[in-house]
């Protein structure tokens, strides 16, 4: 008989994969992986501030990811430095700030390994509510803005001419990415959460003929990776988060052997 904590871990991982897969498609198409890395680095500062303000760590993570997403949009508009330099500075600044804040909390013992690499087996009822609420919100937003997101992805200038609110759509995508990273952190940790977003989408790209097929396939591949990685970790006593990412990586490697069925999103 499967233990309750394993069932909760499985449910949490599936929920995170459902949200991460479709969002990851747009991250792949728009080549925004570094955005994801910058937001993932904000997780540690969010956790530290959550403890400092006596809030649930997830609340601090959500808030910090959303704040950083807004800062990225505002600072990019100023065009003071190149985007890659801006992302590099912010990513490492927030990560360092998180370490410094935690170092000041001497009476608090923080399981950094759990936050860095995930602790899927500790997923609780509250975590499940947060994960599935985020997944539902992300999927609803994708369905609502699917055409606009595709238009901005294919040709930003043409989308603006056609009346698509480009900046709002782009900000919405960053908010969805922030939410996915906030919940995915519990599953695979802040160091690997971006992999949960982009690897299933990259694998799905090779076997999909349309953007819609790729979105569905990426979610399916992510779910399979979660199931196989979780039970593999229990069988061979290895960390669950890295095992999940490793299974997704194997799926991506296998997809390279399959003839490409189509070209989804931007390639240039």
């Amino acid at each position: 008989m499967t233990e309750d904590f394993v069932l909760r871990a499985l449910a949490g991982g599936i929920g995170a994969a459902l949200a991460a897969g479709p969002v990851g498609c747009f991250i792949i198409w728009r080549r925004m992986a570094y955005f994801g890395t910058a937001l993932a680095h904000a997780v540690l500062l969010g956790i530290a501030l959550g403890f400092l303000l006596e809030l649930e760590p997830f609340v601090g993570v959500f808030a910090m990811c959303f704040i950083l997403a807004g800062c990225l949009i505002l600072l990019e508009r100023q065009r003071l430095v190149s985007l890659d330099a801006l992302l590099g500075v912010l990513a490492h600044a927030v990560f360092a700030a998180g370490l410094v804040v935690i170092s000041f909390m001497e009476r608090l013992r923080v399981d950094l390994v759990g936050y860095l690499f995930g602790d899927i087996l500790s997923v609780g009822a509250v975590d499940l509510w947060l994960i599935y609420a985020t997944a539902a919100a992300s999927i609803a937003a994708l369905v609502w803005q699917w055409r606009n997101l595709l238009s901005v992805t294919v040709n930003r200038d043409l989308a603006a001419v056609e009346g698509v609110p480009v900046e709002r759509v782009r900000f919405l995508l960053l908010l969805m990415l922030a939410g996915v990273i906030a919940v995915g952190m519990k599953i695979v940790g802040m160091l690997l959460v971006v992999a949960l977003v982009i690897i299933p989408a990259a694998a799905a790209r090779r076997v999909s003929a349309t953007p819609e097929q790729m979105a569905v396939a990426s979610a399916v591949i992510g779910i399979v990776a979660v199931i196989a990685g979780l039970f593999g970790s229990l069988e061979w006593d290895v960390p669950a988060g890295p095992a999940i990412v490793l299974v997704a990586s194997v799926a991506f490697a296998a997809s390279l052997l399959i003839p490409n069925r189509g070209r989804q999103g931007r390639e240039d």
Side-chain angles (χ1 to χ4, degrees):
M1 183 176 178
T2 306
E3 298 287 348
D4 288 344
F5 72 89
V6 176
L7 294 177
R8 289 194 298 269
L10 190 61
I14 290 173
L18 282 172
V23 172
C25 294
F26 286 97
I27 303 307
I28 289 288
W29 293 331
R30 295 181 59 82
R31 299 181 178 180
M32 292 174 59
Y34 207 2
F35 272 94
T37 301
L39 291 175
H41 278 67
V43 166
L44 190 61
L45 180 57
I47 292 168
L49 292 178
F51 281 123
L52 190 64
L53 300 175
E54 298 183 352
L55 300 172
E56 283 292 326
F58 261 26
V59 175
V61 170
F62 270 105
M64 197 64 236
C65 285
F66 290 145
I67 290 171
L68 185 60
C71 290
L72 286 172
I73 291 290
L74 293 175
L75 290 174
E76 187 185 3
R77 287 179 180 175
Q78 304 302 317
R79 300 185 182 277
L80 298 176
V81 294
S82 63
L83 180 59
D84 59 339
L86 173 63
L87 289 171
V89 170
L90 285 178
H92 294 92
V94 294
F95 185 71
L99 290 173
V100 169
V101 173
I102 288 177
S103 71
F104 278 115
M105 296 185 290
E106 297 178 356
R107 297 182 180 179
L108 178 68
R109 295 178 65 98
V110 179
D111 180 17
L112 285 180
V113 174
Y115 289 118
L116 293 176
F117 299 104
D119 190 8
I120 189 173
L121 294 178
S122 69
V123 169
V126 175
D127 298 327
L128 288 177
W129 279 105
L130 286 170
I131 289 170
Y132 277 92
T134 302
S138 297
I139 293 172
L142 283 172
V143 172
W144 172 46
Q145 290 291 321
W146 183 260
R147 290 187 178 275
N148 286 342
L149 284 164
L150 284 180
S151 297
V152 173
T153 299
V154 173
N155 192 313
R156 180 174 177 173
D157 294 333
L158 181 59
V161 171
E162 292 176 347
V164 176
V166 174
E167 290 301 323
R168 278 188 290 175
V169 169
R170 190 163 177 270
F171 186 57
L172 175 64
L173 180 59
L174 272 181
L175 288 181
M176 287 189 290
L177 177 60
V180 167
I181 285 174
V183 297
M185 175 271 300
K186 185 71 172 181
I187 308 302
V188 296
M190 58 171 290
L191 294 183
L192 296 174
V193 66
V194 178
L196 185 66
V197 176
I198 64 174
I199 294 179
R205 189 172 195 168
R206 299 283 302 179
V207 299
S208 306
T210 66
E212 291 78 12
Q213 287 181 8
M214 181 174 166
V216 174
S218 62
V220 171
I221 292 171
I223 290 171
V224 171
V226 166
I227 295 173
L230 177 58
F231 284 104
S233 72
L234 294 174
E235 178 69 24
W236 291 296
D237 193 23
V238 296
I244 291 169
V245 173
L246 186 58
V247 172
S249 300
V250 171
F252 171 72
S255 74
L256 297 178
L257 304 177
I258 302 173
N260 199 351
R261 294 187 58 192
R263 295 167 64 88
Q264 299 82 30
R266 288 180 52 180
E267 294 277 0
D268 58 332

